[in-house]
Amino acid sequence: MTNMTAIINNPDQTLTPVEIERPTPGPTEVLIKTAAAGINPVDWKVRRNGGLTPLAPNQPDILGWDVAGEVVEVGAGVTRFKVGDRVFGMPRFPDRANAYAEYVVAGSREVARTPDNITDTEAGALPLAVLTAWQAIVDTLHICEGDRILIHAASGGVGHLAVQIAKARGAEVWGTASATNHDALRALGVDHLIDYKAEQFEDIATEMDAVLDLVGSGDNPTRSVQSLKRGGKLVVIPGANEIPAQDVLDAAGVTATWMLVEPDYAALEHIAAMIEAGTLRVVIADTRPLAQIDELHIIGEAGGPMGKLVATID
Ligand SMILES: NC(=O)c1ccc[n+]([C@@H]2O[C@H](COP(=O)([O-])OP(=O)(O)OC[C@H]3O[C@@H](n4cnc5c(N)ncnc54)[C@H](OP(=O)(O)O)[C@@H]3O)[C@@H](O)[C@H]2O)c1
């Protein structure tokens, strides 16, 4: 039996390293030697409240979905990768991927080749956030040339990637963020910035074709309806229960939906092409070795600096 280190979520919600058996890839799966594991808000939500799907019996409670690293073994029938390939992805979501570990098994069509021009740390920061951004902007809102879009929490893990994807599709991009992050967001291409702590966004951003609400709480989604033109679309990401009431939507002549991110190698390949072309980049806020991943949870839960938090393994 070959062991590996993984980070287990204890009943008291603390994260500690344990030695467990290294997984083996089944048919159509690859075994990834983890170089970087990104952190997302869903990680600390699951740490505190449990997952979206029940944990299988006898499975250790290991968090994490974002993984980047090197393929070290391929299962039967895999044609997309060979040993030595660098890959990144978000396997299994919303089931457990067990990404806070030295080795991770993924379906070969849940990961894509890592672009040569980024580090493993950058690749590990991307998957869940960038897939959410892509599936919202491209697949759900169908943003195209000339659209006006307002993106809330533009400085967040998802938001700072969503603004770049919308910009690359020719949209006029508006964003809400703290004033301290406005310069960095302008550098990523955001056309108009609103300080949500000092300004009412619905008074400034009006006649939008689309709003991507990555805040979702309180009255943010209902106020977002006021920013839309008739026929406009609202996507609320944090929770399905935060969609405005149907009579509010009907009165404004707009539609609203929630979406849940899905593993998607084809989207990751489009994203990799953008990274190679220099039209998309991820901002890294902070890193820690895997054994200190609990410190990244504390930073993230406190609001944290702009960009992504990533655990690394030498
Ligand atoms: N449904 C899904 O599949 C899915 C997928 C991914 C994420 N999510 C959820 O989407 C949310 C965002 O995720 P994330 O990874 O981007 O989070 P994050 O990186 O933690 O971003 C949080 C950001 O929110 C901003 N913010 C806080 N209050 C705000 C307000 N009232 N108006 C505008 N911005 C505000 C802060 O900006 P400043 O620092 O500039 O103040 C901060 O940068 C989380 O709730 C996450 O769980 C859901």
Side-chain angles (χ1 to χ4, degrees), residues 32-38 65-71 85-91 99 101-104 111-115 118-127 310-313:
I32 302 164
K33 185 174 191 304
T34 309
W65 283 274
D66 281 343
V67 61
E70 182 183 320
V71 173
D85 286 343
R86 290 173 73 220
V87 294
F88 72 128
M90 182 201 68
E102 288 180 311
Y103 292 85
V104 175
V111 295
R113 210 170 299 276
T114 301
I118 59 170
T119 63
D120 286 327
T121 302
E122 290 170 314
L126 278 162
V310 190
T312 57
I313 303 175

Side-chain angles (χ1 to χ4, degrees), residues 31-115:
L31 180 66
I32 302 164
K33 185 174 191 304
T34 309
I39 318 292
N40 294 283
V42 67
D43 298 14
W44 55 79
K45 291 177 185 175
V46 172
R47 196 194 79 231
R48 295 191 300 227
N49 306 319
L52 289 165
T53 54
L55 195 59
N58 303 323
Q59 195 186 330
D61 190 359
I62 299 169
L63 303 176
W65 283 274
D66 281 343
V67 61
E70 182 183 320
V71 173
V72 289
E73 203 179 325
V74 294
V78 171
T79 55
R80 301 186 69 235
F81 301 107
K82 60 183 188 320
V83 169
D85 286 343
R86 290 173 73 220
V87 294
F88 72 128
M90 182 201 68
R92 316 266 184 238
F93 191 87
D95 285 336
R96 296 299 178 96
N98 298 350
Y100 291 3
E102 288 180 311
Y103 292 85
V104 175
V105 164
S108 81
R109 286 170 198 271
E110 296 173 323
V111 295
R113 210 170 299 276
T114 301

